Amino acid sequence: MRNPTSPRPARPNRTALALLAATALSACNLAPKHVTPALSTPVEYPPEVTPSGGSISATAIGWQDYFKDPRLRELIRMALENNRDLRVSVARIEEARGQYRIQRADQLPQLGLTGSATRRRTGIASIQSQTGGATNVPTDGGANTPDGFTFNTYNVGVAVTAFELDFWGRVANLSEAARANYFSTIAAERAFRLSLIRDLATAYLTSRSLSEQADLADRTIASRRTGLKIARLRLDAGVTSALDYRQAEVLLTQAETEAASLRNQRAQQRNIVRLLVGQPIDEDLLAPAATLDAQGLVRDIAAGLPSELLANRPDILQAEEDLRAARANIGAARAAFFPSITLTGNAGFTSSALGNLVGKEGLGWSIGPSLTLPIFDWGARKGDLTVARARETIAVATYERTVQTAFREVADALAGRRYLREQIEAQVRAVDAQRTLARLAESRYQNGVAQYLEVLDAQRSLFAAEQTLIVLRGNDLQNLVTLYTALGGGLGPPPPLRPGDAAPAAG
């Protein structure tokens, strides 16, 4: 039996225990732990394209250094400043930032300043019923009449309205979802910048290729017009038949048709450039300053490993942030099955006279929690959880598909870097051989050994071979642009989207 004179054993502070319990509960997070899905592609690129190698990282080369043509660089600069779709992407970042701030604010108590002044009249009968027949009630600056009394009431204070004690992490997960959406829009904007650079460079280089093909067609037309004049003279002199003359005429019209088609395609590509730039541009900028051979695009780009795309490709980063948001929404949906506890309170001063409003006598306060738990909602919360889980499944599949698409784009571009060069080298030899064949056919015809049809076939084949060589060179340059952007080049090293889990700066 305890000695009454001995000191009582120390009892734990109930307030401290309550705070500890609340802290433990507030740490509860019902969202699935975010884990990046396993790589859904091979760990290395196909072996047949690795010999083309490279030593320079694409992210280490800014687009200003990658593109050597000064007119192309100027067009890209203008597009990054004026493209309307890019402006939409930037605006969506601000929209998501605002949504995150709104959602994050729900994690903190909302304080409001309150104040009021009320003048109230009460009838004499009401006062007598409340005071047992007495009517000597002070008015404190009001006015009393034979029929009743008038009262003044003033109050001022601060109030906390419906602050949710986030024991189950519902509000925290909604805030995390909004935060992930914000980071997703940042990555989406970077991804659009890359696609804009790629599309503009591709359209510009295509226009350059079509210009060179059109120039070749013009030179061919001039040569064939000369040949047609000679054929006419030979026909008039009775040296050749009308068949040879008509064949020469057909050869000329074919070149003229091809030239008109090439100019039409070039005009369309230039219209694409104007659209991407987003503002009126000087026509001189559409006339490339460098030929295809003088573009000087960097070929020595390292492919790296597919796993490196996870950090370098903004579209993959965007897909991962969308997955984070989906998982956070699962946590919020799960938390809805538990009680929602909110806290309200206020403190301030109340007085019947404005002059002594602030004072110890008029101080008052109140605080209290409230609990809400829906019992019958006919499956609404279960439906919300089903939707959230389905969206996570969609986000996982979208992420994996984005990684697979990135892998394919890089693998295709690596294959193109190797095999397009082999095609070009073979086509150069083919053009040289075809040119020699055309000279031999012309010589045989002049010496009466061959028919003019042999000359026509040789010239037609030479024109087609030269056009093919130009197309291959243009395709090679476009493929290099694709490889550069597919590896994440064009914007420099990607910034850390989650630096220390820092929140966006307040505006």
Side-chain angles (χ1 to χ4, degrees):
M1 183 174 182
R2 184 180 63 85
N3 188 342
T5 60
S6 63
R8 293 177 177 272
R11 293 184 177 179
N13 189 301
R14 294 183 178 180
T15 304
L17 289 176
L19 290 175
L20 288 175
T23 302
L25 286 172
S26 65
C28 179
N29 191 336
L30 302 177
K33 183 179 179 181
H34 176 70
V35 178
T36 302
L39 194 65
S40 55
T41 60
V43 295
E44 294 182 350
Y45 295 108
E48 66 268 17
V49 300
T50 52
S52 57
S55 60
I56 305 174
S57 173
T59 58
I61 311 174
W63 63 265
Q64 299 92 335
D65 299 321
Y66 186 77
F67 298 104
K68 307 301 182 183
D69 192 322
R71 291 178 179 173
L72 176 55
R73 287 203 302 266
E74 177 63 15
L75 289 171
I76 293 176
R77 183 196 65 79
M78 294 170 63
L80 293 177
E81 291 179 357
N82 299 286
N83 183 270
R84 298 305 188 270
D85 291 329
L86 184 58
R87 290 184 183 179
V88 172
S89 295
V90 173
R92 283 176 177 162
I93 292 178
E94 295 305 312
E95 177 187 21
R97 188 203 306 266
Q99 291 293 334
Y100 172 46
R101 287 174 180 163
I102 293 171
Q103 195 62 58
R104 183 183 58 175
D106 289 342
Q107 294 182 273
L108 302 172
Q110 305 296 311
L111 298 178
L113 177 64
T114 63
S116 66
T118 305
R119 187 173 178 85
R120 178 170 57 89
R121 184 180 186 281
T122 303
I124 189 67
S126 176
I127 294 176
Q128 287 176 345
S129 65
Q130 296 177 14
T131 61
T135 58
N136 54 344
V137 180
T139 60
D140 292 315
N144 44 350
T145 65
D147 297 327
F149 296 88
T150 302
F151 301 89
N152 294 332
T153 302
Y154 306 93
N155 68 71
V156 63
V158 293
V160 177
T161 58
F163 168 56
E164 181 172 349
L165 301 178
D166 195 23
F167 291 156
W168 322 112
R170 188 188 72 87
V171 178
N173 279 310
L174 289 176
S175 179
E176 173 60 22
R179 184 169 179 266
N181 288 331
Y182 165 68
F183 286 131
S184 175
T185 58
I186 294 178
E189 188 266 348
R190 288 177 57 83
F192 184 80
R193 283 179 179 268
L194 271 186
S195 66
L196 178 60
I197 292 172
R198 180 198 61 208
D199 294 345
L200 182 57
T202 298
Y204 180 86
L205 292 173
T206 302
S207 174
R208 172 70 274 181
S209 174
L210 292 168
S211 292
E212 293 193 9
Q213 292 179 64
D215 292 342
L216 173 62
D218 289 341
R219 294 193 299 270
T220 301
I221 289 172
S223 174
R224 291 179 180 178
R225 282 175 177 168
T226 301
L228 183 63
K229 291 180 181 178
I230 295 175
R232 182 68 188 182
L233 293 175
R234 293 169 64 88
L235 175 64
D236 293 342
V239 178
T240 60
S241 65
L243 178 62
D244 290 346
Y245 175 77
R246 293 304 177 187
Q247 289 175 334
E249 188 176 29
V250 168
L251 197 64
L252 172 61
T253 57
Q254 288 176 342
E256 291 174 338
T257 301
E258 181 68 15
S261 175
L262 291 169
R263 288 190 173 89
N264 179 49
Q265 296 176 55
R266 183 180 63 183
Q268 293 174 352
Q269 291 298 318
R270 290 183 173 181
N271 289 333
I272 293 175
V273 171
R274 294 186 183 95
L275 175 64
L276 295 175
V277 169
Q279 72 171 41
I281 55 179
D282 189 344
E283 291 300 314
D284 291 340
L285 289 176
L286 297 176
T291 63
L292 293 177
D293 292 335
Q295 290 296 320
L297 300 185
V298 179
R299 304 188 63 88
D300 191 28
I301 294 180
L305 297 174
S307 58
E308 296 176 5
L309 294 177
L310 305 185
N312 295 336
R313 289 274 297 235
D315 55 342
I316 296 179
L317 296 175
Q318 177 190 359
E320 184 175 3
E321 292 298 335
D322 291 340
L323 177 56
R324 286 180 186 268
R327 286 173 172 165
N329 284 325
I330 290 179
R334 286 174 174 172
F337 286 87
F338 295 90
S340 174
I341 303 174
T342 57
L343 185 67
T344 59
N346 64 76
F349 300 93
T350 302
S351 175
S352 58
L354 187 59
N356 59 358
L357 173 61
V358 179
K360 185 177 181 180
E361 297 80 2
L363 177 62
W365 57 269
S366 68
I367 186 170
S370 63
L371 183 145
T372 303
L373 176 61
I375 299 177
F376 298 109
D377 63 357
W378 312 107
R381 286 172 296 166
K382 188 175 181 180
D384 287 340
L385 181 57
T386 301
V387 170
R389 286 173 172 167
R391 287 175 177 171
E392 182 201 19
T393 302
I394 294 171
V396 170
T398 301
Y399 175 85
E400 293 173 341
R401 175 64 175 173
T402 304
V403 173
Q404 292 169 355
T405 300
F407 177 90
R408 181 192 62 79
E409 290 176 354
V410 174
D412 287 349
L414 289 173
R417 181 170 66 176
R418 177 180 181 182
Y419 297 122
L420 280 172
R421 292 306 300 175
E422 294 180 4
Q423 281 185 271
I424 291 173
E425 292 171 359
Q427 190 65 26
V428 168
R429 296 193 298 271
V431 169
D432 291 340
Q434 197 65 48
R435 189 174 289 117
T436 301
L437 181 60
R439 286 197 299 266
L440 290 175
E442 181 68 26
S443 176
R444 285 166 55 84
Y445 174 71
Q446 294 294 338
N447 293 316
V449 178
Q451 297 292 326
Y452 192 65
L453 181 61
E454 183 177 323
V455 176
L456 294 178
D457 288 340
Q459 290 183 350
R460 187 182 297 110
S461 297
L462 174 60
F463 178 66
E466 290 175 330
Q467 292 281 37
T468 300
L469 179 59
I470 296 174
V471 170
L472 286 174
R473 285 172 173 166
N475 291 343
D476 180 51
L477 293 175
Q478 294 171 35
N479 181 75
L480 291 178
V481 173
T482 299
L483 176 61
Y484 173 62
T485 56
L487 290 171
L491 301 177
L497 289 183
R498 289 178 168 265
D501 283 345

